[in-house]
Amino acid sequence: MLRICCWKITSVVVSLISSRQVESKRPKQKSLKFISSKENNMTKHTYPIRGMHCASCARTIESVLKKQAGVTAAEVNYGTEKAKVVFDENKNSPHQLSKSIEPLGYTFQLPVEKNLAGSSASAMGMTASEHAAHLGLNQTKQEKTIELNEMKLKVISVMPLAVFSIFVMGWDILAQLQLVAGMSIFIKDFFHHLLPIFATYTLFVVGKPYLLGFYRFLRYGKANMDTLIGMGTLAAYLYSFAVSAFEDTLRPYLDVDSTYYDITIVVVAFITLGKYLEASSKLKTGDAIERLLNLQAKTALVFRGNKEIEIPIQQVVKGDIIVVKPGSRIPVDGVVSKGNSFVDEAMVSGEPMPVEKNVGDSVVAGTINTTGSFTFTATKVGSDTFLAQIIKMVEEAQGSRAPIQALADTISAVFVPIVIVLSLGTLLLWLVVGTGSLGLAQAFSYGLTSFVGILIIACPCALGLATPTAIIVGVGRGAQEGILIKDAATLEKLYRVNAVVVDKTGTITQGKPELVSISSLSELSEKALIALIASLDSHSDHPVAQATMRYAKEKKINPLPVAKYEMLKGRGATGVIEKTQYWVGNVRLIKELGLKIDEKMIELETKQGKTPVILATKKEVLGVAMVADKIKPEAKESVERLKQMGLTVIMMTGDDQNTARFIADQAGITKVFAQVLPEDKLKLIKELQAKGTRVVMAGDGVNDAPALAQADVGIAMATGTDVAIETAGITLLHGDITKLVKAIRLSKMTMRGIKQNLFWAFFYNIVGIPLAAGLFYPIFGWLLNPVFAGLAMALSSVSVVGNSLRLKVKEL
């Protein structure tokens, strides 16, 4: 009954705190744009923060910043380790704000003053690499790598000590239970002198951050998980040191044979291991923006003084005439003024088919010219380009507050002072009440025993391990299933999503054109028809031509020699094969030849997202092949399983309405948004969130990056672009959408495990603290010996770790 009640209470607490955090942190109104700018002497800027290592750090820093003179708004994000601050520059400065949090162990990473003019590289007059450094992507990553390596060395040094301590602890406990023979005097004396050395190194070298957390709590009243860890381990160490140093003096009053050095070692070791794994998962926080910056061309070929010269992209100005050669990246936004070509705009639209560009058509920075050369007039440069806007959107989305904060850190703010007051109050109560009936010596002995027992049994090892152990196992299980999870917060957020937004190309569909049907309109066989089409297409690098070539290769059909080959811009190609001239191309080409074709059939096929490849001679149409981006075989089943889980499934794509509707019907999706640009996708996500919907977004293109970053959880296909992968919180290997269902199930299992772990962590405290305090002594004569307090603490940790390990064998 007690277990059921505690479990229900824990579940309710978890739900209430998490839901309150979601509601309080979900943006219900237009968020501030924290780009370095000035308005009425108010400065808005984002500052990277050094020294953050737990979720409650963000709350601590934020509360301090909001109290500073001239500060009107402050928002600290633990995931990105950045603070967004709005303050009056006449009343405060970045250096003063940094000074205000230095006593708590944090500092701002302040940029050079001249770089405070804007967010994008061009707006600040910097190169892309300089901008990356300004954003903290390179320098901070290097610093974090060094910090991570130092933490790794500490973990490597302390884990053998933890294993040794567990061995000693287990032997001692089993001996007291008379399950094994006790230690010999020699071995016991050896351990008696060795464990203090191990514990001293562990606590004051490896555990230094936790001691500082306890010190800052005493001095500034700011508590976090480090406070709990430092308090518990220091209490165990100091008690053990006291009875070791003054053994003969304290023997009449205390059980000097029981020490808790092993408790100190084990707790610090496992907590440090958990923090190391968390830090390693966060190392690539800024990779998405860094990769976006790498999409930007470094130079541009510009006409200056009737000469074609190559200049840095920062020197390009609006109105420049820019030359683009085959295979090169378009440097800025503009309008084609001469020539034509096919441009790969997958970064913008997410669609695999390059788009033909003629005079008067728009081109955008970061897209790639595939064939032909052309010139265009620059219309948008610097921070105004489409690519720069995507970078800014990703920056803002990644810098927004996470909807869920760590539950254990929220509880610790109340738990720490309660434990301290309770332990000190218990000691005082024993001295006041127990002296009259027991005598001062015995009352002090019982009081000190209760004081230490409370601190040890309330030591937050189980509370500290409750979340990270489940997360570690969950992330590992995900990796085995081909689900790569970037950080722990992602699993927490994925647990509560109720809507799934998916991109079409590369997520629902294969992501590349394939030949899907062949219709012979003559005496030619299908094999002969493909041989002729593939022969002409073998001279072209157009994606449609490549699709027919791949099909011919799969069917082991070899192309034939082609003479007098000629590419017909925007229509197709022609050539002579075995003394007969053939044409291959679109409907426009067939009309120019004066031939007739069933246009209604072609129109019906194109409405389904198919591209016709028509083969003809001068006299007749020989056949039609259809090329399309096919739906993934597993898409329909995956969508159905998502619906069965109670999730709303929405598809959005840059493709036209007819194609989008056709693909959606095949996959069983009813809600569709077509012809959407990256900013439209981002807007849709924000609109859903404003209604209280928790959204998971699945995509694979650069155009999906802003929406992936804004969504509560972003999921990228590993077959997609690097930018989408780095922006998303989860990556699905092989682009398998069935893993999306498994990822959501994994998150639910992991969160259920965390709740169960929290139950066990609280259960031992709820039962153990009153027993350690001596609450049952007047009635039953029960007084918890610190040895069994340590055993209870160890059992709580074992139960938490054991429960987490069950995730390894559960079916997804």
Side-chain angles (χ1 to χ4, degrees), residues 11 65 109 299 434 537 589 620 769 807:
S11 299
L65 290 175
Q109 183 180 331
T299 60
D537 283 345
L589 175 63
E620 62 176 331
I769 289 179
L807 291 172

Side-chain angles (χ1 to χ4, degrees), residues 140 342 730 770:
T140 300
F342 284 88
I730 294 177

